[in-house]
Amino acid sequence: MVCYFSGTGNSHRVAKQIVQRCGDTLFSMNQSLKAGAEESLHSEKPFVFVTPTYSWRMPRVVEQWMKKTTFTGSKNAYFVLTCGDECGNAAPYAKALCEKKGFTFLGLAGVVMPENYLAMFPTPTKEEAETILAASVPRIAELASIIAQGKSFPIISPSLIDRLKSGPVNPLFYTFMVSDKGFAVGDRCVGCHLCEKRCPLNNITMVENKPHWNGNCTHCMACICGCPVQAIEYKKKSKGQPRYYIMENEKD
Ligand SMILES: Cc1cc2nc3c(=O)[nH]c(=O)nc-3n(C[C@H](O)[C@H](O)[C@H](O)COP(=O)(O)O)c2cc1C
């Protein structure tokens, strides 16, 4: 079973490609989180968790979701982290979680995808994104082949910098960066409710037909990047920047 969490569609796309290549089933953590469901998942095939990289680790919301979810059937778990650049030393944290859940950790591998972190970094143009997406296909095929054969992903030795980024920097990132206070909506908003519908944490409510953020945000960028009229900004960072959003119908 391939379980994905995705703010702007990269991890959804990677998860779907793994499903196609391995003949597996797809499970949406987005929908599960949105429903606030206590899940009990069964799979005879390995569990494959596909998520974005947030501050050189799996997103905290995914770790929390995994902790409260019951998994039965296969004891094997793989982690595929999509990233704009690299996922640092994310592996030991996923491995520690596996130990708590009774999983055998079969590795964590990164897939470079277009950068979506508009609140911090420039995002690619459509052309640049297409080049990166095309380059990701053989990498995803390579990982799917390893999964289909039941082998472990190759182990990569982390540098000291990687350890620091995934270690002490990660909690500082959540404390100082991850807040919805920087989001604002402008006059272009047409009140379509898409931001409210897509927020995986139900953090957006519509007040006078405009989004209002309620303080439980994981910075997934779904609201700002997915807005069809680019009515949402994050401080001054997002002004004039392209929006990167490839999330398709989640039931695909
Ligand atoms: C909050 C946040 C933190 C991020 N941190 C990293 C990071 O540490 N390393 C990296 O290479 N990319 C980082 N990125 C980029 C995303 O991991 C990358 O674009 C990912 O493919 C987005 O996946 P999604 O479209 O499924 O949400 C970050 C993005 C966000 C929104």
Side-chain angles (χ1 to χ4, degrees):
M1 180 180 288
V2 181
C3 303
Y4 73 89
F5 173 74
S6 186
T8 58
N10 285 342
S11 310
H12 182 216
R13 178 169 291 204
V14 171
K16 281 197 297 179
Q17 289 183 33
I18 295 172
V19 161
Q20 279 161 9
R21 290 178 182 276
C22 296
D24 208 338
T25 52
L26 190 64
F27 180 86
S28 169
M29 287 187 242
N30 288 43
Q31 286 174 13
S32 176
L33 283 163
K34 210 161 170 57
E38 288 265 327
E39 303 285 356
S40 187
L41 302 181
H42 181 85
S43 175
E44 293 301 325
K45 291 194 176 190
F47 286 92
V48 183
F49 300 97
V50 185
T51 78
T53 307
Y54 286 177
S55 191
W56 303 286
R57 264 159 74 171
M58 195 165 39
R60 229 180 231 184
V61 283
V62 173
E63 286 179 0
Q64 287 159 353
W65 177 87
M66 281 184 68
K67 278 183 191 156
K68 64 174 195 171
T69 298
T70 305
F71 300 95
T72 57
S74 174
K75 288 281 159 216
N76 294 332
Y78 292 93
F79 295 81
V80 176
L81 264 60
T82 68
C83 56
D85 179 24
E86 43 100 11
C87 44
N89 188 32
Y93 299 91
K95 189 175 182 201
L97 185 53
C98 280
E99 277 158 19
K100 283 198 187 113
K101 298 300 294 183
F103 275 131
T104 302
F105 175 72
L106 291 186
L108 180 146
V111 177
V112 175
M113 294 291 275
E115 175 66 58
N116 77 338
Y117 201 9
L118 191 56
M120 257 187 117
F121 302 111
T123 44
T125 61
K126 208 167 183 296
E127 293 71 34
E128 287 165 343
E130 269 163 19
T131 306
I132 299 166
L133 289 172
S136 73
V137 175
R139 171 68 172 158
I140 300 162
E142 178 197 347
L143 298 178
S145 164
I146 296 172
I147 295 167
Q149 292 171 69
K151 293 183 182 162
S152 296
F153 288 153
I155 296 167
I156 295 156
S157 301
S159 66
L160 176 64
I161 300 285
D162 288 333
R163 285 175 204 267
L164 288 173
K165 289 192 291 197
S166 302
V169 175
N170 178 280
L172 293 173
F173 167 78
Y174 278 94
T175 307
F176 295 109
M177 266 310 294
V178 183
S179 157
D180 59 16
K181 289 201 173 75
F183 289 111
V185 67
D187 295 339
R188 275 200 255 177
C189 176
V190 290
C192 70
H193 289 236
L194 277 177
C195 52
E196 179 193 30
K197 282 188 199 138
R198 288 169 174 167
C199 174
L201 303 184
N202 292 323
N203 185 43
I204 296 176
T205 44
M206 298 301 279
V207 178
E208 293 174 0
N209 224 21
K210 298 230 187 281
H212 174 83
W213 289 262
N214 293 304
N216 176 31
C217 177
T218 190
H219 265 197
C220 77
M221 303 290 119
C223 58
I224 185 167
C225 289
C227 175
V229 292
Q230 297 199 5
I232 300 173
E233 300 287 356
Y234 189 84
K235 300 180 184 168
K236 287 183 183 155
K237 270 281 181 200
S238 58
K239 293 243 158 67
Q241 287 291 329
R243 269 51 175 168
Y244 176 74
Y245 190 81
I246 60 161
M247 193 76 154
E248 291 167 354
N249 180 349
E250 278 207 81
K251 293 194 177 72
D252 285 353

Short mmCIF file of all heavy atoms in Angstrom, two decimals, residues 6-11 52-56 82-86 113-117 173 219 221, ligand 1:
data_model
loop_
_atom_site.label_atom_id
_atom_site.label_comp_id
_atom_site.label_asym_id
_atom_site.label_seq_id
_atom_site.Cartn_x
_atom_site.Cartn_y
_atom_site.Cartn_z
N SER A 6 0.61 15.07 0.48
CA SER A 6 1.10 15.98 -0.55
C SER A 6 0.41 17.33 -0.46
O SER A 6 -0.82 17.40 -0.42
CB SER A 6 0.83 15.36 -1.94
OG SER A 6 1.41 16.15 -2.95
N GLY A 7 1.21 18.41 -0.42
CA GLY A 7 0.63 19.75 -0.40
C GLY A 7 0.32 20.25 -1.80
O GLY A 7 -0.77 20.74 -2.08
N THR A 8 1.28 20.11 -2.70
CA THR A 8 1.13 20.73 -4.02
C THR A 8 1.17 19.72 -5.16
O THR A 8 1.17 20.11 -6.33
CB THR A 8 2.21 21.81 -4.24
OG1 THR A 8 3.51 21.22 -4.10
CG2 THR A 8 2.08 22.94 -3.25
N GLY A 9 1.25 18.43 -4.85
CA GLY A 9 1.06 17.41 -5.88
C GLY A 9 2.28 16.58 -6.24
O GLY A 9 2.15 15.55 -6.89
N ASN A 10 3.50 17.01 -5.84
CA ASN A 10 4.68 16.22 -6.19
C ASN A 10 4.62 14.80 -5.61
O ASN A 10 4.84 13.82 -6.32
CB ASN A 10 5.96 16.89 -5.66
CG ASN A 10 6.37 18.10 -6.46
OD1 ASN A 10 5.93 18.29 -7.59
ND2 ASN A 10 7.22 18.94 -5.90
N SER A 11 4.34 14.71 -4.33
CA SER A 11 4.36 13.39 -3.67
C SER A 11 3.20 12.54 -4.18
O SER A 11 3.33 11.31 -4.30
CB SER A 11 4.29 13.56 -2.15
OG SER A 11 5.28 14.49 -1.75
N PRO A 52 6.45 14.85 1.16
CA PRO A 52 7.46 15.87 0.90
C PRO A 52 8.52 15.85 2.01
O PRO A 52 8.28 15.28 3.09
CB PRO A 52 6.67 17.18 0.96
CG PRO A 52 5.29 16.85 1.37
CD PRO A 52 5.16 15.40 1.60
N THR A 53 9.63 16.49 1.76
CA THR A 53 10.64 16.73 2.80
C THR A 53 10.33 18.09 3.42
O THR A 53 10.17 19.07 2.68
CB THR A 53 12.05 16.80 2.18
OG1 THR A 53 12.24 15.63 1.39
CG2 THR A 53 13.13 16.91 3.23
N TYR A 54 10.21 18.14 4.74
CA TYR A 54 10.05 19.42 5.42
C TYR A 54 11.22 19.57 6.39
O TYR A 54 11.33 18.80 7.36
CB TYR A 54 8.73 19.48 6.22
CG TYR A 54 7.45 19.64 5.39
CD1 TYR A 54 6.21 19.63 6.01
CD2 TYR A 54 7.50 19.80 4.00
CE1 TYR A 54 5.04 19.78 5.27
CE2 TYR A 54 6.33 19.94 3.25
CZ TYR A 54 5.11 19.93 3.89
OH TYR A 54 3.94 20.07 3.16
N SER A 55 12.08 20.52 6.09
CA SER A 55 13.26 20.74 6.92
C SER A 55 14.04 19.44 7.12
O SER A 55 14.30 19.03 8.24
CB SER A 55 12.87 21.39 8.27
OG SER A 55 14.01 21.82 8.94
N TRP A 56 14.36 18.82 6.00
CA TRP A 56 15.23 17.64 5.93
C TRP A 56 14.74 16.43 6.71
O TRP A 56 15.52 15.58 7.12
CB TRP A 56 16.67 18.02 6.38
CG TRP A 56 17.18 19.15 5.53
CD1 TRP A 56 17.60 19.07 4.24
CD2 TRP A 56 17.30 20.52 5.91
NE1 TRP A 56 17.96 20.31 3.78
CE2 TRP A 56 17.78 21.22 4.78
CE3 TRP A 56 17.03 21.22 7.08
CZ2 TRP A 56 18.01 22.59 4.81
CZ3 TRP A 56 17.27 22.59 7.10
CH2 TRP A 56 17.75 23.25 5.99
N THR A 82 9.97 13.25 -1.41
CA THR A 82 10.20 14.18 -2.51
C THR A 82 10.83 15.43 -1.92
O THR A 82 10.59 15.78 -0.76
CB THR A 82 8.89 14.52 -3.26
OG1 THR A 82 8.04 15.29 -2.41
CG2 THR A 82 8.17 13.27 -3.73
N CYS A 83 11.68 16.08 -2.68
CA CYS A 83 12.40 17.24 -2.15
C CYS A 83 12.75 18.19 -3.28
O CYS A 83 12.81 17.79 -4.45
CB CYS A 83 13.67 16.80 -1.42
SG CYS A 83 14.78 15.81 -2.42
N GLY A 84 12.99 19.47 -2.91
CA GLY A 84 13.44 20.43 -3.92
C GLY A 84 14.93 20.29 -4.16
O GLY A 84 15.43 20.67 -5.21
N ASP A 85 15.61 19.72 -3.17
CA ASP A 85 17.08 19.66 -3.25
C ASP A 85 17.59 18.35 -2.66
O ASP A 85 18.09 17.48 -3.35
CB ASP A 85 17.62 20.89 -2.51
CG ASP A 85 19.13 20.95 -2.51
OD1 ASP A 85 19.74 20.35 -3.40
OD2 ASP A 85 19.71 21.60 -1.60
N GLU A 86 17.42 18.20 -1.33
CA GLU A 86 17.86 16.95 -0.70
C GLU A 86 17.19 16.77 0.67
O GLU A 86 16.72 17.73 1.26
CB GLU A 86 19.39 16.88 -0.59
CG GLU A 86 20.06 18.16 -0.14
CD GLU A 86 20.43 18.17 1.31
OE1 GLU A 86 20.36 17.11 1.96
OE2 GLU A 86 20.77 19.24 1.82
N MET A 113 12.20 16.89 -6.93
CA MET A 113 11.01 17.36 -7.65
C MET A 113 11.03 18.90 -7.60
O MET A 113 11.86 19.49 -6.90
CB MET A 113 9.73 16.84 -6.94
CG MET A 113 9.55 15.34 -6.97
SD MET A 113 9.18 14.69 -8.62
CE MET A 113 7.41 14.91 -8.71
N PRO A 114 10.16 19.57 -8.32
CA PRO A 114 10.17 21.04 -8.27
C PRO A 114 9.95 21.58 -6.85
O PRO A 114 9.15 21.04 -6.09
CB PRO A 114 9.02 21.41 -9.21
CG PRO A 114 8.95 20.27 -10.17
CD PRO A 114 9.23 19.05 -9.34
N GLU A 115 10.67 22.63 -6.54
CA GLU A 115 10.57 23.29 -5.22
C GLU A 115 9.18 23.92 -5.08
O GLU A 115 8.72 24.62 -5.98
CB GLU A 115 11.65 24.37 -5.13
CG GLU A 115 11.61 25.23 -3.88
CD GLU A 115 11.91 24.42 -2.63
OE1 GLU A 115 12.98 23.81 -2.54
OE2 GLU A 115 11.04 24.41 -1.73
N ASN A 116 8.52 23.69 -3.94
CA ASN A 116 7.19 24.28 -3.75
C ASN A 116 7.15 25.28 -2.60
O ASN A 116 6.09 25.84 -2.32
CB ASN A 116 6.15 23.18 -3.49
CG ASN A 116 6.22 22.64 -2.07
OD1 ASN A 116 7.25 22.75 -1.40
ND2 ASN A 116 5.13 22.04 -1.62
N TYR A 117 8.32 25.50 -1.93
CA TYR A 117 8.26 26.27 -0.67
C TYR A 117 8.31 27.78 -0.93
O TYR A 117 9.29 28.46 -0.63
CB TYR A 117 9.37 25.83 0.27
CG TYR A 117 9.10 26.18 1.71
CD1 TYR A 117 7.85 26.68 2.12
CD2 TYR A 117 10.07 26.02 2.69
CE1 TYR A 117 7.59 27.00 3.43
CE2 TYR A 117 9.83 26.33 4.02
CZ TYR A 117 8.59 26.82 4.37
OH TYR A 117 8.35 27.15 5.69
N PHE A 173 13.14 25.04 13.01
CA PHE A 173 12.35 25.41 11.83
C PHE A 173 10.86 25.44 12.19
O PHE A 173 10.15 26.40 11.86
CB PHE A 173 12.64 24.39 10.71
CG PHE A 173 11.67 24.45 9.57
CD1 PHE A 173 11.77 25.45 8.61
CD2 PHE A 173 10.65 23.52 9.46
CE1 PHE A 173 10.87 25.51 7.56
CE2 PHE A 173 9.75 23.57 8.41
CZ PHE A 173 9.85 24.57 7.45
N HIS A 219 2.46 24.51 6.74
CA HIS A 219 3.17 25.15 5.62
C HIS A 219 3.25 24.25 4.38
O HIS A 219 4.28 24.23 3.71
CB HIS A 219 4.58 25.58 6.04
CG HIS A 219 4.66 27.01 6.47
ND1 HIS A 219 5.84 27.71 6.55
CD2 HIS A 219 3.68 27.89 6.82
CE1 HIS A 219 5.60 28.95 6.96
NE2 HIS A 219 4.30 29.08 7.14
N MET A 221 1.69 24.62 1.64
CA MET A 221 1.61 25.50 0.47
C MET A 221 0.44 25.21 -0.46
O MET A 221 0.35 25.77 -1.54
CB MET A 221 2.92 25.53 -0.33
CG MET A 221 4.14 25.95 0.47
SD MET A 221 4.10 27.71 0.92
CE MET A 221 4.10 27.63 2.72
C1 LIG B 1 7.54 23.47 4.77
C2 LIG B 1 8.48 22.99 3.68
C3 LIG B 1 9.77 22.59 3.98
C4 LIG B 1 10.61 22.12 2.97
N1 LIG B 1 11.86 21.66 3.30
C5 LIG B 1 12.64 21.12 2.34
C6 LIG B 1 13.93 20.57 2.67
O1 LIG B 1 14.33 20.51 3.82
N2 LIG B 1 14.69 20.08 1.66
C7 LIG B 1 14.28 20.10 0.35
O2 LIG B 1 15.04 19.67 -0.52
N3 LIG B 1 13.05 20.58 0.01
C8 LIG B 1 12.24 21.08 0.98
N4 LIG B 1 10.98 21.54 0.64
C9 LIG B 1 10.48 21.36 -0.76
C10 LIG B 1 9.51 20.18 -0.85
O3 LIG B 1 9.93 19.11 -0.05
C11 LIG B 1 9.33 19.67 -2.29
O4 LIG B 1 9.05 20.68 -3.19
C12 LIG B 1 8.26 18.59 -2.30
O5 LIG B 1 8.40 17.84 -3.48
C13 LIG B 1 6.83 19.13 -2.21
O6 LIG B 1 5.95 18.01 -2.24
P1 LIG B 1 4.36 18.12 -2.39
O7 LIG B 1 4.10 18.81 -3.72
O8 LIG B 1 3.92 16.70 -2.44
O9 LIG B 1 3.83 18.87 -1.25
C14 LIG B 1 10.15 22.05 1.63
C15 LIG B 1 8.85 22.49 1.33
C16 LIG B 1 8.02 22.96 2.34
C17 LIG B 1 6.62 23.39 1.98
#
